[in-house]
């Protein structure tokens, strides 16, 4: 059963808490020596993701050091394309590589009915992580499940990996929207299923990562970011009304307001380019917000880091707020810098 008294769940219910709850995107990962040790033993990233014992262990690693208010499932947004049947590799130091789709591809091979053949270990990780959190006494820490939003996952499926310009995926979406909609629909169905199963396995919060929502013009942002996100939020809320959904439309700028109002998400994650005063006035007034320390500030440390943390904390005094980064922890970050931020947040009273 879900414990509603966990601080982050109170915040997501809209309550202003005295102590600000916090977690960090990519809080489990290469900046932690214990992660690097386990990775060397497991022999690669995907061997950790699809091994519930390894993945749950990695999920717990940052919690043991820093007692975050949320643990986040150790997995990746690209397990969905892989489970659908697209070839995926993570080459050390190079990031993900997928066999790219294009507008002429026959999408028939992408099969949403069979994704659990690949994804079952991820659901086991969720359950195992819940058990470990309880057993180790982290009864204030909630478990976040997640997926990439359809648009962002589609960018990787079409570009074949990261991209500087997103020309291929944008050209397809702009030039052949009906065919692109077929791909997005496959992703909506799969993502809904994947997240429902994470919730059934024990996830208490869902975060939707839309890392590349910021590369679209307004009309296409509405079509490919807001609409699919709204379909997922509507489905999850109809089945699991108590599970809060955090949307993270990175780079969306002032379009975040439309996103907050039209998608039906419960809370919004801010990237570090978002001005705190604008977000407090326009977003925090209507829903809980989460953010938004620049990960490079966390890497830098020192007095600049202290000042940046206080600036953020001081910017959102009135309503529900969760402290986080504006993007993921960078792998060269000294863990002590994370400790420095945690100390400030824990002693900060609103
Ligand atoms: O936040 C967490 O601690 C939970 C785990 C998590 C990972 N990826 C683990 C990971 C989460 C939530 C993600 C989300 C993710 N994955 C996103 C959305 C957030 C964002 O960063 O914008 C995206 C775009 C991906 C796709 C992805 N996975 C890329 C581009 C890369 C390579 C870049 C990099 O940072 O190495 C990955 C690999 C990846 N996913 C690693 C981790 C810990 C590094 C794997 C390793 O080499 O050990």
């Amino acid at each position: 059963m879900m414990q509603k008294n966990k601080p982050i769940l109170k915040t997501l219910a809209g309550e202003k808490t005295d102590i600000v709850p916090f977690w960090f995107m990519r809080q489990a990962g290469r900046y932690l020596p214990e992660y690097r040790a386990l990775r060397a033993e497991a022999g690669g990233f995907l061997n950790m993701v699809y091994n519930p014992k390894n993945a749950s262990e990695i999920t717990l690693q940052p919690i043991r050091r820093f007692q975050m208010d949320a643990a986040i499932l150790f997995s990746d947004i690209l397990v969905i394309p892989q489970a659908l049947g697209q070839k995926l590799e993570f080459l050390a130091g190079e990031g993900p590589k997928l066999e790219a789709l294009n507008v002429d591809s026959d999408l028939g091979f992408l099969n949403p009915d069979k994704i659990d053949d690949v994804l079952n270990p991820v659901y086991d990780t969720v359950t195992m992580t819940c058990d470990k959190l309880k057993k180790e006494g982290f009864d204030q820490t909630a478990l976040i499940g997640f997926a990439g939003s359809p648009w962002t996952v589609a960018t990787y499926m079409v570009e074949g990996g990261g991209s500087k310009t997103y020309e291929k995926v944008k050209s397809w979406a702009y030039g052949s929207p009906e065919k692109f909609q077929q791909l997005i629909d496959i992703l909506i169905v799969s993502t809904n299923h994947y997240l429902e199963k994470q919730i059934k396995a024990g996830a208490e919060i869902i975060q939707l990562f839309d890392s590349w929502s910021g590369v679209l013009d307004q009309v296409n942002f509405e079509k490919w970011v807001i609409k699919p996100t709204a379909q997922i939020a509507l489905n999850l809320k109809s089945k699991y009304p108590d599970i809060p959904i955090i949307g993270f439309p990175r780079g969306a700028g002032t379009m975040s307001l439309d996103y907050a109002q039209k998608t039906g998400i419960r809370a919004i994650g801010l990237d570090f380019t978002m001005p705190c005063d604008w977000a407090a006035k326009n977003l925090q007034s209507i829903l809980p917000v989460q953010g938004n320390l620049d990960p490079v500030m966390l890497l830098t440390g020192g007095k600049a880091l202290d000042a940046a943390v206080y600036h953020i904390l001081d910017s959102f005094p009135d309503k529900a707020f969760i402290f986080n980064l504006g993007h993921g922890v960078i792998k060269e970050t000294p863990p002590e810098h994370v400790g420095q931020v945690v100390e400030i947040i824990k002693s900060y009273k609103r």
Side-chain angles (χ1 to χ4, degrees), residues 52-64:
K53 205 165 148 260
N54 288 341
S56 60
E57 190 57 22
I58 293 163
T59 306
L60 265 288
Q61 285 176 345
I63 310 302
R64 293 186 189 123

Side-chain angles (χ1 to χ4, degrees), residues 151 170 174 212-226 252 255:
W151 163 254
K170 287 170 67 173
Y174 293 0
W212 299 110
S213 67
V215 302
L216 292 167
D217 67 33
Q218 188 187 9
V219 170
N220 284 283
F221 182 86
E222 175 88 31
K223 224 179 189 158
W224 306 119
V225 171
I226 292 185
M255 292 190 285

Side-chain angles (χ1 to χ4, degrees), residues 12-72:
L12 287 166
E15 233 181 88
K16 177 195 156 181
T17 48
D18 291 342
I19 309 269
V20 174
F22 69 96
W23 64 283
F24 301 105
M25 289 189 273
R26 291 283 179 96
Q27 64 191 18
R30 289 162 297 188
Y31 76 105
L32 290 176
E34 57 270 36
Y35 171 91
R36 297 193 297 268
L38 212 154
R39 189 192 147 137
E41 212 179 282
F45 175 63
L46 288 173
N47 289 338
M48 301 193 292
V49 165
Y50 294 122
N51 177 319
K53 205 165 148 260
N54 288 341
S56 60
E57 190 57 22
I58 293 163
T59 306
L60 265 288
Q61 285 176 345
I63 310 302
R64 293 186 189 123
R65 278 185 184 247
F66 304 115
Q67 294 83 47
M68 285 91 171
D69 289 283
I72 180 161

Side-chain angles (χ1 to χ4, degrees), residues 72-85:
I72 180 161
L73 163 69
F74 188 78
S75 179
D76 197 84
I77 66 166
L78 299 178
V79 298
I80 287 283
Q82 185 173 47
L84 283 166

